[in-house]
Amino acid sequence: MVRKPVILITGANGEIGHGLIDHLVRQTQYGIVALDLKPLDESLHKYCTAALTGDILDQNLLQRLISEYEIHAIYHLAALLSTRAEFTPDTAHQVNVEGTLNLLKLAHEQSRWHGNPVKFLFPSSIAVYGLPNLKIKKIAGKIKEYQYNQPTTMYGCNKLYCEQLGRYFTMHYRQLAAEGHCSGVDFRAVRFPGLISAVTLPSGGTSDYAPEMIHAAAQGQPYPCFVSEEAQIPFMAMPDGIKALVQLADVSADRLSQRVYNVGAFSVTARDIRDRVLLAFPGAEITFNPDTAREGIVSTWPADVDDSLARQDWNWQPDYDADRAFHEYLIPMITKYYRSKLA
Ligand code: SER
């Protein structure tokens, strides 16, 4: 039986998955297999060889995947985000850590079958950082990958550990085996800032206040923001998020000086976002009603990241700074999106 060569995308129905499928279909020679807990959006079906509904913890499903497809790359996007993970830490650990381990093992097995490396793209996060207090956050400025790796959330701990697991599979797998052992997994991760998409809303994240504020305004709905005006973290427009993942996937392995990279775009406070939203939607009703606990999480995340290694190793450069993100992507696309929904 000939198995079809494909790229596997887990969490395909999520925010990154939407943009990624749309992008990959235009550039890959492989088919796309989408996997998600929820049925894939109708609009994406036409791009996929298969759209499977199921759980990355389901071994039978993973075995079925192995028997039907020859997997050459995995974009492992499935995860419980930071706010949701605090409510169900055990489930978060299962999905975010055990699920990732399942997929790393699957990548290893696939590489043994077809004899080529399997690229494993992993969206990590600024949540791996844990700044001890606002004073230090302020003086720390743009932080480097190895600084402040003391996350305070379950999600951050999960992401940080999975970065290490991926690095282990790629560089040190079974290092004591008689003849050394190469896992065949080529793991690469980007630590994303808060991502903002014009067409989808995140769910269960702590950086969600930014996209929620913009989408509420576009729909004429009031928005009580759950962090204070001063809260500041880096953000990125979704097209840049897709670009970072795809660019990192494409670069040759010998150019990578590390396996995990910061990627930055722009850093803004919640007030900055409100002001930009008000310029576009002057009638928007935005109030600040901070939830101390959620704001506490945002306070531990850096105000900005130093992404000079990504720039140096694989020419990372965002297309969207704050002005372009709002004026050329978010505001026009969101306006169009909700208009077409109303029409
Ligand atoms: N956006 C994510 C969250 O808020 C962080 O990576 O959980």
Side-chain angles (χ1 to χ4, degrees), residues 81-83 125 127 155 192 194 204-208 301:
L81 294 183
S82 57
T83 291
S125 160
Y155 173 79
F192 279 129
T206 313
S207 59
D208 294 5
W301 293 351

Side-chain angles (χ1 to χ4, degrees), residues 62-310:
L62 298 181
Q63 287 309 314
R64 207 183 105 203
L65 271 176
I66 291 176
S67 69
E68 286 182 27
Y69 302 102
E70 189 181 279
I71 298 169
H72 286 264
I74 298 175
Y75 287 80
H76 175 39
L77 313 178
L80 256 71
L81 294 183
S82 57
T83 291
R84 185 159 300 155
E86 288 310 303
F87 287 104
T88 54
D90 288 348
T91 311
H93 189 274
Q94 281 162 8
V95 174
N96 295 354
V97 175
E98 291 167 31
T100 301
L101 184 58
N102 284 348
L103 284 147
L104 285 165
K105 290 196 280 195
L106 186 147
H108 166 53
E109 203 171 323
Q110 285 291 300
S111 171
R112 274 193 8 214
W113 271 99
H114 57 63
N116 296 306
V118 172
K119 283 192 182 152
F120 195 106
L121 274 299
F122 185 68
S124 188
S125 160
I126 49 163
V128 301
Y129 298 112
L131 282 299
N133 56 53
L134 283 174
K135 198 169 156 213
I136 293 184
K137 172 167 170 163
K138 202 161 195 172
I139 45 184
K142 292 188 173 198
I143 69 178
K144 295 185 190 296
E145 283 87 347
Y146 60 81
Q147 294 181 295
Y148 301 104
N149 287 174
Q150 274 148 338
T152 66
T153 60
M154 186 61 170
Y155 173 79
C157 294
N158 296 161
K159 288 286 183 190
L160 189 58
Y161 174 60
C162 287
E163 291 177 354
Q164 303 295 326
L165 267 183
R167 203 173 52 83
Y168 167 74
F169 265 77
T170 300
M171 324 261 295
H172 307 292
Y173 188 68
R174 296 207 165 158
Q175 56 196 291
L176 297 184
E179 290 168 16
H181 199 94
C182 168
S183 75
V185 179
D186 180 353
F187 177 89
R188 302 160 181 218
V190 279
R191 287 183 181 165
F192 279 129
L195 289 169
I196 314 179
S197 165
V199 286
T200 51
L201 267 170
S203 67
T206 313
S207 59
D208 294 5
Y209 59 91
E212 283 174 0
M213 196 187 289
I214 309 170
H215 280 258
Q219 294 171 87
Q221 291 167 0
Y223 185 69
C225 180
F226 61 80
V227 297
S228 61
E229 294 178 51
E230 292 76 37
Q232 181 169 6
I233 53 170
F235 285 97
M236 178 178 280
M238 189 56 83
D240 272 337
I242 308 298
K243 174 176 152 170
L245 271 181
V246 173
Q247 210 177 325
L248 180 58
D250 285 348
V251 69
S252 109
D254 57 14
R255 289 188 43 200
L256 303 178
S257 60
Q258 52 190 30
R259 291 281 155 179
V260 177
Y261 290 89
N262 281 342
V263 283
F266 55 91
S267 167
V268 281
T269 61
R271 181 193 299 111
D272 294 331
I273 301 172
R274 190 260 331 259
D275 292 349
R276 286 174 186 277
V277 169
L278 281 177
L279 275 180
F281 306 102
E285 276 178 63
I286 300 165
T287 49
F288 288 88
N289 187 10
D291 168 333
T292 325
R294 283 182 101 184
E295 170 138 17
I297 292 177
V298 173
S299 305
T300 69
W301 293 351
D304 207 353
V305 291
D306 179 336
D307 60 2
S308 46
L309 280 171

